[in-house]
Amino acid sequence: NAGVTQTPKFQVLKTGQSMTLQCAQDMNHEYMSWYRQDPGMGLRLIHYSVGAGITDQGEVPNGYNVSRSTTEDFPLRLLSAAPSQTSVYFCASTKRTTLNEQFFGPGTRLTVL
Amino acid sequence: AQKVTQAQTEISVVEKEDVTLDCVYETRDTTYYLFWYKQPPSGELVFLIRRNSFDEQNEISGRYSWNFQKSTSSFNFTITASQVVDSAVYFCALSGLNDYKLSFGAGTTVTVRA
């Protein structure tokens, strides 16, 4: 199993540009989520999904969109990038039988100029 | 709402010293999970331990041990005989028992000097 994969690893955007961060898992996990990590703030939940076709907002959803058309994939879209979205983004997945242990991807470091 | 507080921002120790990381949490849930994650300098998040709110028994796993006290809403984590490879950021986190959303503390940076 590849586990949770994220692409790209690094990205630099200009203010106003849009892009999609990719996340995929091959563990047949029903639950997937996106977090952002900022210095001194830990990780904060952006969006999550409890299964294909079902998504919901987390703590800091503004400026981000998600969709879940398959169990495996959960892309995060930045519609119009802002410098405040400079962060490290982590995708995670889990399922009931793992007792809430989240499996995290390697992260994407995004810089918005 | 859930909240996790890690009051220690940074801890620096000399190798072989013990390190205790403090974590205090707030939740309205009566059942929940508590976690510790490690983030080494390479940046990935590594799951260390999980404790559910039903079980206050404290355990030891190798050089790791934890002290869960529901009465004070604390979930402290200790590394015994620290090593340079223990240098990392350590996060305490909380989720409801049937809720996969994690609430993280701000993290504690541990530096172990040789």
Side-chain angles (χ1 to χ4, degrees), chain B residues 1-99:
Chain B
Q2 297 177 325
K3 184 179 179 181
V4 177
T5 302
Q6 294 179 252
Q8 303 151 308
T9 305
E10 296 183 23
I11 298 176
S12 182
V13 297
V14 176
E15 211 169 15
K16 297 184 183 177
E17 287 185 349
D18 296 348
V19 181
T20 294
L21 308 179
D22 297 334
C23 174
V24 175
Y25 63 91
E26 298 174 26
T27 180
R28 293 179 188 159
D29 294 339
T30 54
T31 56
Y32 47 88
Y33 285 113
L34 292 160
F35 304 83
W36 278 97
Y37 282 86
K38 173 183 179 180
Q39 186 177 44
S42 50
E44 74 272 22
L45 284 158
V46 179
F47 166 80
L48 294 178
I49 58 172
R50 169 187 47 237
R51 172 59 64 199
N52 71 48
S53 55
F54 293 107
D55 185 359
E56 289 193 64
Q57 182 176 358
N58 296 313
E59 291 189 21
I60 297 174
S61 175
R63 294 187 300 108
Y64 298 154
S65 62
W66 48 97
N67 185 346
F68 172 41
Q69 292 193 352
K70 206 168 180 178
S71 60
T72 56
S73 297
S74 65
F75 185 51
N76 298 337
F77 177 70
T78 297
I79 305 170
T80 303
S82 61
Q83 302 174 0
V84 173
V85 293
D86 296 325
S87 296
V89 181
Y90 290 82
F91 292 100
C92 181
L94 165 72
S95 77
L97 212 67
N98 296 309
D99 179 354

Side-chain angles (χ1 to χ4, degrees), chain A residues 21 31-38 43-49 55-66 74-78 85 87-91 108 110, chain B residues 101-102:
Chain A
L21 307 186
Y31 184 88
M32 296 185 73
S33 53
W34 278 100
Y35 292 85
R36 60 177 288 173
Q37 181 180 9
D38 301 296
L43 282 78
R44 293 179 293 168
L45 182 64
I46 305 171
H47 284 286
Y48 64 97
S49 168
T55 63
D56 207 345
Q57 296 180 352
E59 181 184 354
V60 287
N62 292 343
Y64 307 95
N65 271 2
V66 292
F74 191 43
L76 179 72
R77 297 182 186 84
L78 282 69
Q85 295 178 303
S87 188
V88 180
Y89 291 85
F90 287 97
C91 179
T108 294
L110 175 68
Chain B
K101 294 177 284 187
L102 281 171

Side-chain angles (χ1 to χ4, degrees), chain A residues 92-113:
Chain A
S93 72
T94 189
K95 61 181 180 180
R96 287 187 185 278
T97 55
T98 65
L99 301 179
N100 285 23
E101 177 187 339
Q102 303 269 355
F103 294 78
F104 284 88
T108 294
R109 184 174 293 275
L110 175 68
T111 301
V112 183
L113 303 175

